Each structure stands twice: as C-alpha cells, then as structure tokens.
C-alpha cells in the first residue's frame, strides 16, 4: 500500500518536559485496502504463489482490521490461492527463520511494506537485487500505470567508481516491459523475460559486484547482461518464439 497510513499523517505534540505527549492521526480507506488485497490474490494466482502475512489486526482490529477484512474477502473470491494470514511480527519471524519456503505475495500497510522491502532484499543478498514497482489500477484492478525504479535510492559514496550493483535498474527495465506486455504491446514479453533471465544467469555464473561477494564492475556486469539479452532475443527470433 503506497498511500495513506503513517505517510502524510497529521502529527503534533502537547505539553512540555516529561509531560510532553506526541500524537499521530493516520488513515486508510476500504477502497485502497481492497485494491491491495484483490491485486495480491490476482498476482499470486498468476505466478503460483501463496498470499502470506497481514497487519497487526489483533492489536488494532478497527484500523489494521480493515486490510485483514479485505484480505479475507479476496481469499474467498480466489479459492485456488493458498492463503496464510499471520500477524506482521510473525511474518518477520517467518521470513527470517525460513518458515516461508515458497513464493510469496505479502499484502501490507504502507509503513509495514516499507520495512519489509528493506528487510527482505539483504536477506537474499543485496538491496540492489530487485526492482520496485508502483502500480495504479482501474475499477477492475487492471494495471493502468506502472512505474518501476531501483528501491535503494542513491549511493553518493560509490559515484564515479564503477562499483555499484546495477541489478535493480536492469530489473526495473524488465518490469516495465512486463507490464507493457500485459497492455498488449508486441515483443515486450520476450524482452522482459530476456532481461530477467540474463540478470539472474549472469549472477549465477559468478559475474557479481562487490556487494554480492564478487569482483565485477558496474560496466562489466551490465555488459554481461546486455550480451545475454542480445543472444536470447536473436535465438528466440530465429525459432519464432514469442
């Protein structure tokens, strides 16, 4: 959920010294919770994943409970999707302990999702190892707008050194093409697949930047990916593959 919740909430303080109290007024809407929950189940169904996790609905049954209600409703509409609702703290524990050993889609409130994105990537290598995508939906939860980016922000200390990991930026390109393919643009599905496969194959073959324990520079990794993408597209075109 990339809107509402703690972001943009009204905050103020009253009193002074030890009597000072800080207040915060947050909000979420049922429409947004429904969009998050419904798309989570639709996407999980598409990729064969499990919907896992949830907010802290036991402590906050009115506020967090709104998302949990919509998750339950979406689960009823998508009975083929495995649904394992757990509280957000149990979700963290499950991810760290390895209890969640299958592909996952995790619906989350805005701040919970922000924490999750920074937790999960270092667990599997590097925060530069995946793209971030912001989606906007129409009334039927079809994607209207997709904006992909690297989630890690800038790294001024690496500027000009040719050491930064470009995986997230490359995967962001693949992600944009993935959603363009969903919108019916010809050739985008093949190009998206080529980028994703090439990034992962290059890494699996030992071409890794320093954050992943390798010695490749930014340029060397990027060149390796581009070469693989070019080869895949040429081979698939020759074979007439989509």
């Amino acid at each position: 959920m990339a809107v509402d919740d703690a972001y943009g909430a009204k905050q103020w303080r009253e009193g002074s010294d030890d009597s000072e109290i800080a207040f915060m007024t947050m909000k979420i809407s049922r429409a947004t919770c429904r969009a998050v929950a419904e798309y989570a189940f639709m996407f999980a169904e598409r990729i064969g994943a499990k919907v896992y996790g949830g907010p802290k609905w036991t402590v906050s049954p009115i506020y967090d409970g709104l998302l949990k209600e919509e998750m339950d409703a979406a689960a009823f509409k998508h009975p083929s999707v495995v649904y394992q609702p757990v509280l957000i703290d149990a979700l963290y524990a499950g991810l760290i302990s390895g209890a969640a050993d299958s592909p996952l889609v995790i619906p989350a409130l805005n701040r919970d999702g922000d924490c999750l994105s920074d937790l999960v990537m270092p667990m599997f290598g590097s925060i530069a190892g995946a793209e971030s995508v912001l989606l906007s939906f129409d009334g039927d939860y079809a994607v209207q707008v997709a904006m992909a980016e690297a989630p890690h922000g800038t790294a001024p200390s690496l500027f000009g050194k040719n050491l930064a990991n470009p995986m997230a930026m490359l995967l962001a390109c693949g992600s944009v093409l993935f959603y363009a393919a969903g919108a019916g643009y010809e050739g985008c599905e093949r190009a998206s697949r080529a980028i994703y496969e090439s990034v992962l194959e290059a890494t699996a073959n030992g071409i890794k930047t320093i954050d992943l324990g390798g010695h490749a520079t930014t340029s060397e990794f990027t060149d390796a990916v581009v070469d693989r993408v070019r080869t895949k597209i040429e081979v698939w075109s020759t074979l007439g593959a989509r």
Side-chain angles (χ1 to χ4, degrees), residues 4 12 24 27 33 46-47 59 62-63 76 78 85 105 113 116 127 137 148 153 157 161 165 182 198 204 207 236:
D4 296 333
W12 72 99
M24 186 175 188
K27 68 175 180 66
C33 290
R46 179 178 179 180
I47 66 173
V59 172
I62 301 299
Y63 185 86
F76 183 78
H78 300 270
V105 176
L116 278 166
I127 197 170
F137 310 111
S157 63
K161 297 181 180 179
N165 186 343
S198 297
I207 305 172
W236 293 343

Side-chain angles (χ1 to χ4, degrees), residues 24-88:
M24 186 175 188
T25 303
M26 302 186 296
K27 68 175 180 66
I28 51 175
S29 69
R30 184 170 292 279
T32 299
C33 290
R34 182 170 297 160
V36 169
E38 183 65 23
Y39 187 77
F41 276 85
M42 290 170 61
F43 190 68
E45 196 167 37
R46 179 178 179 180
I47 66 173
K50 173 170 65 177
V51 174
Y52 181 66
K56 192 75 171 180
W57 71 84
T58 52
V59 172
S60 180
I62 301 299
Y63 185 86
D64 291 47
L66 191 56
L67 176 58
K68 176 59 163 54
E69 290 171 12
E70 291 301 328
M71 288 170 59
D72 292 345
F76 183 78
K77 291 172 61 179
H78 300 270
S80 65
V81 176
V82 177
Y83 175 42
Q84 186 179 352
V86 296
L87 299 173
I88 185 65

Side-chain angles (χ1 to χ4, degrees), residues 193-214:
R193 177 185 167 192
I195 292 172
Y196 276 107
E197 289 185 3
S198 297
V199 169
L200 296 176
E201 286 173 6
T203 306
N205 288 336
I207 305 172
K208 298 181 286 188
T209 47
I210 55 173
D211 57 319
L212 294 177

